[in-house]
C-alpha cells in the first residue's frame, strides 16, 4: 500500500484511494489479505487507559490506619523481646494483605473482562461477503457499511453516501450532524481543510445519525484522527454502585465505633489490673479484626461474579450500578419483534386484487410455491404479483447467503447441505426469500441479491414506518419502489394496480385494503404494503428531494414471526415476581394483540393503546392508564420516552428495551436501559445499562433474577461479617468490664479474623438463590441495606455469639483458674465454631432450617478448611506456643459445640416459629376471605 502519514485523503478520488489501498469497491479485501494487514497494522483500538499496577494494589492493602498501628505495636513487642508474637502477627497481617490483594486483583480482572465484552462491531465486506466483525479487527483497505445508529469504527473515505449524516461532536465538539458526500473535495483546496469540512471522510468514534453509506478504511487505531487526540471511546462505565458508596460510608462509621469500643476495652482492662502493653496489643488486634476492611473488595467480587453469571445467561452489564437496580425492576417494557418473537420471519400470505395467495416453504431456503385456492400458480404470469415480488427484491438491503456443510443425518451422511442465512434486517430477509421463491432468481450466484439498478434510497425509519428506493430500469426509465406499514404506505397512495389495471384509489377500496390488513393481522401476521411510482423527469445525479406520494398500491404481504418458546414461561415468572410486562411495538395493533395473547401477556391488565391515542392524551392521563395497558402498538421511539416517564411517575422502576438510534433517549431515561446485542445500534448499546447478547426477553428476566440474587448475597455476607465482628468485640468488652482475664490473646483474635472472614464470606457471595427469590415483590429502590430485619439479626446474633463465647470461657476458667491457656483455647474455638455455624444461618432470610446445608459446596469447603486450620492451631504442638493454645478434650468439645450452636439454633427456631405463625395467620385470613 502506498500510503503516507498525513495523507490528504479527501482530495483523492475514490478510485485513486482504492488503488492506493489495494482494495476493491465491490468485493472488499480478501480475508487472507485482511489477516496479513492486521498483523502489520495491529488491532484497531485506542490504547487502553492505564491500569493501576499490581504492586500498588498490593501496597494499598497495608495502608489501612489500624494495620499501620498494629505494625508499630508489633515492632514494639519485638523490641520488648516477644519475638515469636511479633513475627506471627506480622505473618498474619501479611497473609491477610495477600488475600485482600487476590480479591481485589480478581475484581479488577473481571471488570476489565466486562469492558472488553462491550467492544463494538462493524459491518464489513470481505471476499464479496457481508459480515459483522469486531471493530478491532478492521484494517486499512477494508470496505465498511454504515447506517443510522452506528459508531464509525475507523477513519473512512466514503465512496457512497445516501443522505448520510454524521454527528462529530466526539471529535470536533460540534453537535449538529454534518451531511456527508462521496465527492472528492475540489483539487486546489487549501492545504488544511478543517476536520468538520472533510465531508467525504467519516471519522472513528463519530456517530451516524441518518442515512447509509460505504467507505474504505484509511486508518485505524491510534493513526485515526481520534487516536491522535487519544480520546477514549466506547468504554463500559465501571462506576461504583450506590450500595458500594453507602458501604464505604458505613465502613467509616464502623471504624469509629470499633476504635471507641476498643478504647473502652483497653481502659477497662488496664483499670482491672492488666498490663498496659498487653492490653494495647489486644485492643489494636481487636480493632483490626473488628473493622470489616475486606467488605468493599468482597462486594466488588460478588458483583463481578454475579455479572459473570449474567454473561453466561447472555446478559452483558455495561454499568455496574444497574446490577442493583435490576433487582428492583417492577415493570419490563419490551419490544416485540426479535425480543418476544424469534425474528425469524417467513412470508406466508400475499394479497392483491382480492386474491389471497399462500406461500409454502420453510425457513430461509428459497424453495416454495404460490398457491391460489390450493392450486399452484406461476407468479410471472400474474402482473401484480410479479410487480410485488420485484419491489420485495429491490426495496431491500438484506442478503441471502448459504454455507455448505456436511449433512448430519444418517441417510444423507457425506452429502453437502446448504444452510441458508440472511444478513441484514429479518423482515427484508423474509422478502428476499419470497422474491427468490417467486422470481426464480439465481440467488446462489448472487444475482438476486444485487442491487445493480438502485440509484437512491430513502432508508427505513420507525417514524415513517416505510422505505423507498429509486431504481433505474433496463429501458432507462426510473421508478420508485416502496414498502412499509400498511396504513403508512396506503396514506401515500393515490392509485391501485387492480386486476391488471392502474385505477384511482377510491375510499371504498382503501377501507377494503385496511379490512384485509386487519384480517391478516388477526392471524398474528406482520403485514407490509407494497407500492411504486414511475418517476418522470428524474435524471441520474438528481439532488432534489423525492417525495413518497402519489404511489400506486400493489398488494399486501403477511409474514409470521413466531413467539420465542421460552417467553411464556418468562412472562409467567415475572407475574409471580410482581413485575409487570408491557409490549411496545411499531407493529399493527391487531398483530401485536394476537401475539400478546399467545404469550400470556394480557393477563390481569389487558388494554391496548396505539401511538396516535398516546399523542392525544396528557401525561397525567397516560400515567393513570399506563397501569392497565399491556400493549402499546404502532408507536414511534419518541413515544417510548413518555411511557417510561409515565410509569416512573407512578413509582415504578422501569426496564426498557430498544434497538434503533431513536430509542436511546428512552433507554437513558429508564432505570434499566436494555439494548439488543444482535440488532441493536451502537448508539443504543452505549446508552444502555444492559445488553442482551441474544436479544431475548427471557434473558432480561434471568438478569433480574440474578440482580435479586446478587443483592441478597451481599446482604448475606454483610450480615455474617458484621455479626461476627459484633461477637468478637463483645467477648472482649464484657470480659474487661466484668474484670475477667483476657478471653483471647491478640494472635488468636487475628487468627479468628483471618479464618472466618475470608473464605466463608466469599462463599456466601456465590450462594445460590433462595427458592422464593422470584416469588417476592420487587425491592424498594430506596431500601436501606439493613432493612427487613437485617440490622436486628446482626445485633442479636452477634450478641449471642459474644455471650456464649464468654460463657464457655468463664465456665472453663472457673473450673481451673490456674490454667488460663486452656480457657482461652476454649473461648477461641467457641468463637470460631459459632461463626462457622452461624454462616449457614446467613443463607436464609427465614431460618437456617429452610435451606439445604450442602447446597453451596464452596461454603461447605470453606467451612471445612477453616475448621482444619483451627484444629491445626489447637493440636499441632509446634503451633501451640505461637498461638497460646493447648489440647482440648471431649468435655471441652461438648461445651464448645453447645455454646457455639446455641446462637444459630435459637435464631433458627425463632425463624421457624415466626414463619409458622405467619403461615397460620395467612392461612386463616385466606379462609376468612374465602368464606
Ligand atoms: P418492535 O418495535 O417490536 O421491534 P417492529 O419491528 O414492528 O416492532 P418497527 O421496526 O418500528 O417496529 O416497524 C414498524 C413497522 O414498519 C412494521 O410493523 C412494518 O410494518 C414496517 N417495517 C418494518 N421493517 C420495515 C422495513 N425494513 N421496510 C419497510 N417497512 C418496515
Amino acid at each position: 500500500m502506498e500510503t503516507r502519514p498525513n495523507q490528504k485523503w479527501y482530495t483523492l478520488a475514490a478510485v485513486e484511494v482504492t488503488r492506493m489501498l489495494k482494495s476493491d469497491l465491490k468485493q472488499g479485501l480478501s480475508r487472507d489479505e485482511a489477516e496479513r494487514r492486521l498483523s502489520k497494522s495491529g488491532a484497531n483500538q485506542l490504547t487502553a487507559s492505564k491500569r493501576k499496577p499490581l504492586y500498588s494494589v498490593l501496597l494499598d492493602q497495608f495502608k489501612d490506619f489500624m494495620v499501620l498501628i498494629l505494625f508499630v505495636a508489633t515492632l514494639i513487642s519485638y523490641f520488648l523481646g516477644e519475638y515469636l508474637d511479633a513475627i506471627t502477627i506480622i505473618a498474619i497481617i501479611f497473609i491477610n494483605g495477600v488475600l485482600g490483594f487476590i480479591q481485589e486483583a480478581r475484581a479488577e480482572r473481571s471488570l476489565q473482562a466486562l469492558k472488553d465484552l462491550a467492544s463494538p462491531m462493524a459491518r464489513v465486506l470481505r471476499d464479496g461477503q457481508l459480515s459483522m466483525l469486531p471493530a478491532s479487527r478492521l484494517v486499512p483497505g477494508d470496505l465498511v457499511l454504515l447506517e443510522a445508529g452506528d459508531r464509525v469504527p475507523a477513519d473512512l473515505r466514503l465512496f457512497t453516501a445516501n443522505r448520510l449524516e454524521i454527528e462529530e461532536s466526539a471529535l470536533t465538539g460540534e453537535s449538529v450532524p454534518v451531511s456527508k458526500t462521496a465527492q472528492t473535495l475540489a483539487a486546489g483546496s487549501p492545504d488544511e481543510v478543517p476536520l468538520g469540512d472533510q465531508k467525504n471522510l467519516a471519522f472513528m468514534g463519530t456517530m451516524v445519525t441518518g442515512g447509509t453509506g460505504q467507505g474504505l478504511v484509511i486508518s485505524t487505531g491510534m493513526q485515526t484522527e481520534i487516536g491522535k487526540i487519544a480520546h477514549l471511546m466506547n468504554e463500559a462505565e465501571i462506576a461504583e454502585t450506590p450500595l458500594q458508596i453507602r458501604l464505604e460510608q458505613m465502613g467509616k462509621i464502623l471504624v469509629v465505633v470499633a476504635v471507641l469500643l476498643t478504647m473502652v476495652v483497653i481502659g477497662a482492662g488496664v483499670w482491672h489490673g492488666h498490663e498496659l502493653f498487653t492490653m494495647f496489643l489486644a485492643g489494636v488486634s481487636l480493632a483490626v479484626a473488628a473493622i470489616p476492611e475486606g467488605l468493599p473488595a468482597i462486594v466488588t467480587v460478588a458483583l463481578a461474579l454475579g455479572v459473570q453469571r449474567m454473561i453466561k445467561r447472555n446478559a452483558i452489564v455495561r454499568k455496574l450500578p444497574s446490577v442493583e437496580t435490576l433487582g428492583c425492576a417492577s415493570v419490563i417494557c419490551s419490544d416485540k419483534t426479535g425480543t418476544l418473537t424469534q425474528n425469524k420471519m417467513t412470508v406466508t400470505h400475499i394479497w392483491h386484487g382480492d386474491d389471497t395467495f399462500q406461500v409454502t416453504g420453510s425457513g430461509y431456503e428459497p424453495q416454495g410455491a404460490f398457491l391460489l385456492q390450493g392450486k399452484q400458480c406461476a407468479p410471472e404470469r400474474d402482473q401484480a404479483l410479479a410487480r410485488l415480488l420485484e419491489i420485495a427484491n429491490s426495496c431491500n438491503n438484506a442478503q441471502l447467503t448459504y454455507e455448505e456443510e456436511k449433512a448430519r443425518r444418517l441417510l444423507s451422511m457425506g452429502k453437502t447441505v446448504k444452510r441458508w442465512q440472511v444478513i441484514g434486517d429479518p423482515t427484508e430477509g423474509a422478502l428476499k426469500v419470497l422474491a427468490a421463491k417467486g422470481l426464480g432468481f439465481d440467488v446462489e450466484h448472487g444475482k438476486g441479491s444485487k442491487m445493480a439498478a438502485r440509484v437512491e434510497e430513502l432508508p427505513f425509519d420507525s417514524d415513517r414506518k416505510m422505505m423507498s428506493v429509486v431504481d433505474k430500469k433496463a429501458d432507462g426509465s426510473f421508478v420508485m419502489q416502496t414498502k412499509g406499514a400498511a396504513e403508512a404506505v396506503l396514506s401515500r397512495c393515490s392509485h391501485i394496480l387492480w386486476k391488471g389495471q392502474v385505477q384511482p384509489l377510491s375510499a371504498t377500496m382503501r377501507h377494503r385494503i385496511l379490512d384485509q390488513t386487519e384480517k391478516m393481522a388477526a392471524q398474528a401476521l406482520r403485514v407490509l404494503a407494497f407500492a411504486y411510482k414511475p418517476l418522470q423527469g428524474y435524471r441520474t445525479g438528481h439532488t432534489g428531494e423525492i417525495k413518497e406520494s402519489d404511489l400506486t398500491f400493489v398488494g399486501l404481504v403477511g409474514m409470521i414471526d413466531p413467539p420465542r418458546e421460552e417467553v411464556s414461561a418468562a412472562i409467567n415468572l415475572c407475574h409471580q415476581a410482581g413485575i409487570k410486562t408491557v409490549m411496545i411495538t411499531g407493529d399493527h395493533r391487531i398483530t401485536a394483540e394476537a401475539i400478546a395473547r399467545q404469550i400470556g401477556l394480557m393477563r390481569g391488565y389487558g388494554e391496548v393503546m396505539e401511538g396516535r391515542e398516546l399523542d392525544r392524551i396528557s401525561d397525567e392521563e397516560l400515567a393513570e392508564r399506563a397501569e392497565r395497558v399491556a400493549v402499546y402498538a404502532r408507536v414511534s421511539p419518541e413515544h417510548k420516552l413518555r411511557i417510561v416517564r409515565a410509569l416512573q411517575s407512578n413509582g415504578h422502576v422501569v426496564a426498557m428495551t430498544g434497538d434503533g438510534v431513536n430509542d436511546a433517549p428512552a433507554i437513558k431515561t429508564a432505570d434499566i436501559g436494555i439494548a439488543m446485542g444482535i440488532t441493536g445500534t451502537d448508539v443504543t448499546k452505549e446508552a444502555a445499562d444492559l445488553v442482551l447478547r441474544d436479544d431475548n426477553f427471557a434473558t432480561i428476566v434471568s438478569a433480574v433474577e440474578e440482580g435479586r440474587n446478587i443483592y441478597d448475597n451481599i446482604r448475606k455476607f454483610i450480615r455474617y461479617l458484621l455479626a461476627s465482628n459484633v461477637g468478637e468485640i463483645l467477648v472482649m468488652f464484657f470480659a474487661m468490664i466484668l474484670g475477667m482475664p483476657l478471653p483471647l490473646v491478640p494472635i488468636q483474635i487475628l487468627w479468628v479474623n483471618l479464618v472466618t472472614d475470608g473464605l466463608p464470606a466469599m462463599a456466601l457471595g456465590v450462594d445460590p438463590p433462595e427458592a422464593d427469590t422470584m416469588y417476592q415483590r420487587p425491592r424498594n429502590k430506596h431500601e436501606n441495606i439493613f432493612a427487613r430485619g437485617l440490622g436486628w439479626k446482626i445485633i442479636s446474633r452477634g450478641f449471642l455469639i459474644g455471650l456464649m463465647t464468654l460463657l464457655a470461657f468463664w465456665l472453663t476458667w472457673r473450673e481451673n483458674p490456674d490454667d488460663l491457656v486452656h480457657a482461652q483455647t476454649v473461648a477461641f474455638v467457641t468463637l470460631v465454631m459459632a461463626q462457622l455455624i452461624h454462616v449457614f444461618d446467613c443463607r436464609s432470610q427465614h431460618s437456617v432450617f429452610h435451606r439445604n446445608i450442602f447446597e453451596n459446596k464452596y461454603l461447605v469447603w470453606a467451612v471445612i478448611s477453616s475448621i482444619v486450620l483451627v484444629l491445626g492451631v489447637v493440636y499441632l504442638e509446634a503451633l501451640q506456643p505461637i498461638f497460646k493454645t493447648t489440647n482440648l478434650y471431649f468435655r471441652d468439645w461438648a461445651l464448645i459445640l453447645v455454646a457455639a450452636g446455641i446462637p444459630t439454633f435459637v435464631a433458627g427456631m425463632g425463624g421457624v416459629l415466626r414463619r409458622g405463625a405467619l403461615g397460620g395467620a395467612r392461612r386463616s385470613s385466606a379462609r376468612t376471605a374465602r368464606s
Side-chain angles (χ1 to χ4, degrees):
M1 282 183 301
E2 355 156 353
T3 64
R4 277 172 281 131
N6 299 328
Q7 184 93 331
K8 294 198 175 49
W9 295 100
Y10 47 87
T11 60
L12 302 176
V15 269
E16 177 70 359
V17 173
T18 319
R19 191 189 58 75
M20 287 173 67
L21 292 168
K22 294 204 169 58
S23 188
D24 184 306
L25 291 190
K26 292 231 154 36
Q27 299 284 316
L29 293 176
S30 72
R31 290 195 178 94
D32 295 343
E33 174 61 18
E35 284 307 314
R36 258 196 303 280
R37 289 191 190 184
L38 186 64
S39 56
K40 230 160 107 199
S41 66
N44 174 31
Q45 274 166 346
L46 302 174
T47 24
S49 56
K50 279 207 189 92
R51 274 202 243 163
K52 204 171 168 183
L54 284 184
Y55 71 85
S56 124
V57 179
L58 183 61
L59 277 184
D60 279 355
Q61 308 299 320
F62 302 101
K63 278 193 193 147
D64 187 84
F65 178 65
M66 289 318 289
V67 174
L68 288 181
I69 293 196
L70 190 61
F71 255 126
V72 175
T74 319
L75 278 184
I76 298 176
S77 66
Y78 183 85
F79 289 117
L80 291 179
E82 302 280 346
Y83 302 124
L84 205 57
D85 260 16
I87 291 171
T88 319
I89 293 180
I90 299 270
I92 296 181
I93 299 175
F94 185 73
I95 298 176
N96 222 343
V98 169
L99 284 183
F101 165 75
I102 293 174
Q103 280 171 1
E104 245 181 66
R106 194 167 168 186
E108 176 68 21
R109 236 197 359 252
S110 334
L111 294 182
Q112 191 56 41
L114 285 185
K115 284 189 187 178
D116 295 345
L117 263 174
S119 65
M121 306 289 284
R123 256 182 304 280
V124 190
L125 200 71
R126 283 187 182 167
D127 280 331
Q129 285 213 323
L130 191 58
S131 56
M132 292 292 281
L133 287 183
S136 59
R137 302 193 62 80
L138 289 184
V139 293
D142 256 330
L143 196 161
V144 172
L145 277 69
L146 296 177
E147 62 181 46
D150 287 350
R151 267 246 188 247
V152 177
D155 282 1
L156 310 174
R157 167 66 165 90
L158 298 164
F159 61 89
T160 56
N162 272 310
R163 291 161 206 274
L164 183 66
E165 304 224 314
I166 298 189
E167 196 251 285
E168 299 185 329
S169 62
L171 199 60
T172 60
E174 175 56 72
S175 60
V176 179
V178 181
S179 170
K180 293 284 176 178
T181 130
Q183 276 151 26
T184 315
L185 290 198
S189 309
D191 265 357
E192 281 311 318
V193 176
L195 282 183
D197 293 339
Q198 299 179 5
K199 300 217 164 152
N200 53 15
L201 300 188
F203 301 105
M204 180 171 184
T206 57
M207 192 73 82
V208 183
T209 52
T212 53
Q214 299 185 3
L216 286 181
V217 174
I218 48 178
S219 39
T220 58
M222 294 306 281
Q223 263 66 54
T224 59
E225 290 301 329
I226 198 120
K228 286 184 200 153
I229 55 171
H231 255 200
L232 279 177
M233 315 282 308
N234 285 331
E235 279 210 349
E237 251 175 63
I238 306 290
E240 283 199 322
T241 74
L243 180 62
Q244 282 176 304
I245 296 169
R246 260 182 281 143
L247 283 179
E248 257 164 43
Q249 289 161 352
M250 183 190 81
K252 289 192 187 124
I253 300 175
L254 284 180
V255 170
V256 176
V257 174
V259 170
L260 283 181
L261 283 176
T262 311
M263 279 156 78
V264 176
V265 170
I266 297 175
V270 173
W271 170 264
H272 284 293
H274 290 288
E275 205 182 298
L276 177 66
F277 188 72
T278 317
M279 278 320 296
F280 179 65
L281 203 56
V284 179
S285 306
L286 187 60
V288 169
I291 294 165
E293 70 285 344
L295 197 59
I298 304 186
V299 171
T300 313
V301 172
L303 282 169
L305 289 179
V307 163
Q308 273 162 11
R309 281 198 302 276
M310 286 195 193
I311 294 175
K312 283 204 188 109
R313 298 172 83 172
N314 285 325
I316 298 170
V317 173
R318 279 184 49 88
K319 296 176 188 161
L320 208 50
S322 65
V323 175
E324 279 166 34
T325 331
L326 265 173
C328 310
S330 61
V331 181
I332 303 178
C333 297
S334 170
D335 285 342
K336 170 180 72 71
T337 311
T339 314
L340 294 168
T341 66
Q342 298 180 7
N343 220 1
K344 287 203 183 111
M345 308 214 198
T346 318
V347 175
T348 55
H349 290 77
I350 297 178
W351 179 88
H352 81 78
D354 251 0
D355 287 332
T356 302
F357 298 81
Q358 277 178 322
V359 187
T360 63
S362 73
Y364 292 136
E365 190 176 355
Q367 301 289 332
F370 293 73
L371 307 177
L372 184 60
Q373 290 164 351
K375 281 204 204 102
Q376 192 162 343
C377 61
E380 63 277 13
R381 299 234 190 96
D382 181 320
Q383 190 199 357
L385 189 54
R387 178 100 233 182
L388 189 145
L389 295 177
E390 190 192 319
I391 304 173
N393 182 54
S394 105
C395 182
N396 198 322
N397 288 327
Q399 265 194 27
L400 187 60
T401 61
Y402 62 84
E403 273 172 19
E404 286 198 334
E405 58 181 41
K406 292 263 179 271
R408 294 213 185 88
R409 278 202 221 106
L410 207 56
L411 286 178
S412 40
M413 200 67 129
K415 283 192 197 150
T416 53
V417 286
K418 290 186 178 126
R419 211 162 55 83
W420 289 90
Q421 58 193 32
V422 158
I423 299 176
D425 176 26
T427 306
E428 297 189 353
L431 294 173
K432 218 30 164 204
V433 176
L434 173 77
K437 282 176 184 170
L439 300 180
F441 278 141
D442 186 4
V443 204
E444 296 187 26
H445 297 102
K447 211 170 121 197
S449 50
K450 281 216 176 124
M451 302 169 290
R454 180 178 301 180
V455 259
E456 202 166 340
E457 176 186 341
L458 297 176
F460 169 76
D461 76 61
S462 359
D463 287 321
R464 274 171 38 252
K465 299 194 174 19
M466 52 201 262
M467 163 185 178
S468 300
V469 293
V470 175
D471 285 345
K472 187 173 182 184
K473 295 176 76 170
D475 60 7
S477 64
F478 292 90
V479 62
M480 174 186 264
Q481 322 237 44
T482 302
K483 71 173 192 311
E487 316 89 276
V489 172
L490 204 59
S491 69
R492 295 168 190 252
C493 289
S494 54
H495 288 77
I496 181 169
L497 181 60
W498 186 257
K499 312 224 183 233
Q501 285 193 346
V502 176
Q503 304 175 359
L505 184 61
S506 64
T508 333
M509 190 57 83
R510 267 179 214 278
H511 276 121
R512 214 149 128 189
I513 297 171
L514 288 175
D515 274 355
Q516 181 60 30
T517 308
E518 292 192 359
K519 265 193 210 141
M520 290 164 78
Q523 299 168 47
L525 295 175
R526 181 179 179 82
V527 187
L528 263 78
F530 289 71
Y532 72 98
K533 166 168 85 167
L535 291 176
Q536 267 101 32
Y538 185 95
R539 299 268 167 277
T540 317
H542 170 97
T543 48
E545 207 184 328
I546 40 167
K547 286 209 175 107
E548 292 163 308
S549 59
D550 291 326
L551 303 176
T552 301
F553 179 86
V554 182
L556 299 171
V557 156
M559 49 184 89
I560 48 163
D561 179 17
R564 288 177 179 269
E565 275 168 22
E566 55 282 35
V567 155
S568 292
I571 289 181
N572 207 9
L573 195 61
C574 285
H575 196 73
Q576 283 168 5
I579 303 168
K580 182 180 155 82
T581 20
V582 176
M583 177 196 282
I584 302 188
T585 176
D587 214 339
H588 197 282
R589 169 191 188 113
I590 298 179
T591 313
E593 194 176 333
I595 291 185
R597 285 196 191 287
Q598 284 178 8
I599 56 179
L601 200 139
M602 306 289 276
R603 206 166 32 171
Y605 49 96
E607 284 186 21
V608 182
M609 190 188 277
E610 273 188 271
R612 51 185 175 189
E613 190 179 348
L614 235 154
D615 283 332
R616 279 200 306 268
I617 60 177
S618 68
D619 288 344
E620 291 71 33
E621 204 177 330
L622 177 59
E624 193 264 321
R625 296 263 315 268
E627 291 301 312
R628 302 190 299 275
V629 176
V631 175
Y632 293 89
R634 281 290 188 243
V635 289
S636 339
E638 293 72 46
H639 291 130
K640 285 187 166 180
L641 191 59
R642 282 192 69 201
I643 299 172
V644 171
R645 293 213 171 114
L647 287 164
Q648 282 174 334
S649 73
N650 290 349
H652 282 295
V653 174
V654 185
M656 163 75 83
T657 68
D659 46 14
V661 59
N662 302 339
D663 288 338
I667 284 194
K668 264 203 183 116
T669 309
D671 300 274
I672 306 148
I674 304 171
M676 300 297 137
I678 305 171
T679 56
T681 53
D682 296 344
V683 186
T684 23
K685 284 186 201 159
E686 281 167 30
D689 301 297
L690 193 73
V691 178
L692 306 181
R693 204 139 56 165
D694 56 357
D695 291 10
N696 190 344
F697 174 80
T699 304
I700 308 176
V701 184
S702 312
V704 169
E705 196 177 353
E706 279 298 347
R708 287 187 176 195
N709 188 28
I710 292 174
Y711 187 82
D712 284 348
N713 284 354
I714 292 178
R715 271 172 57 101
K716 286 177 198 169
F717 61 70
I718 287 183
R719 172 178 164 187
Y720 169 68
L721 286 178
L722 296 191
S724 300
N725 292 353
V726 169
E728 286 158 24
I729 291 193
L730 288 187
V731 185
M732 297 291 281
F733 183 78
F734 287 139
M736 291 305 98
I737 296 278
L738 297 174
M740 293 184 188
L742 270 185
L744 300 162
V745 298
I747 290 179
Q748 290 168 349
I749 299 174
L750 292 172
W751 191 247
V752 172
N753 184 43
L754 183 74
V755 168
T756 55
D757 277 14
L759 289 180
M762 296 274 279
L764 280 180
V766 292
D767 203 37
E770 270 202 274
D772 59 356
T773 306
M774 286 302 268
Y775 282 85
Q776 288 173 7
R777 294 200 55 73
R779 184 182 87 239
N780 183 332
K781 199 168 137 187
H782 304 291
E783 181 189 285
N784 185 303
I785 184 87
F786 297 111
R788 287 180 279 143
L790 195 78
W792 162 246
K793 281 182 181 142
I794 290 172
I795 293 182
S796 59
R797 294 349 179 231
F799 181 83
L800 281 175
I801 291 174
L803 194 70
M804 295 319 293
T805 307
L806 194 65
L807 195 66
F809 169 74
W810 183 72
L811 288 175
T812 319
W813 177 63
R814 201 192 49 173
E815 223 168 65
N816 187 0
D818 293 335
D819 195 356
L820 186 57
V821 171
H822 184 208
Q824 282 173 333
T825 310
V826 168
F828 167 58
V829 179
T830 308
L831 186 60
V832 173
M833 292 308 290
Q835 296 187 6
L836 293 180
I837 295 174
H838 174 237
V839 74
F840 290 99
D841 188 25
C842 298
R843 295 181 58 225
S844 172
Q845 292 213 56
H846 313 297
S847 92
V848 67
F849 303 114
H850 276 90
R851 302 206 65 178
N852 173 358
I853 288 183
F854 301 104
E855 190 184 4
N856 181 348
K857 53 181 189 307
Y858 298 107
L859 186 61
V860 173
W861 282 114
V863 168
I864 290 178
S865 49
S866 299
I867 292 177
V868 170
L869 284 176
V870 167
L871 291 182
V873 163
V874 171
Y875 287 105
L876 290 181
E877 272 177 26
L879 296 181
Q880 284 179 342
I882 301 178
F883 287 89
K884 317 274 186 300
T885 50
T886 177
N887 287 350
L888 296 176
Y889 299 99
F890 182 75
R891 263 192 65 205
D892 301 322
W893 276 106
L895 176 65
I896 288 170
L897 291 180
V898 170
I902 282 179
T904 298
F905 186 76
V906 169
M909 284 317 288
V912 169
L913 292 179
R914 229 181 5 261
R915 270 217 120 188
L918 269 181
R922 261 193 230 122
R923 274 193 297 278
S924 71
S925 69
R927 264 199 302 277
T928 324
R930 271 201 300 276
S931 62

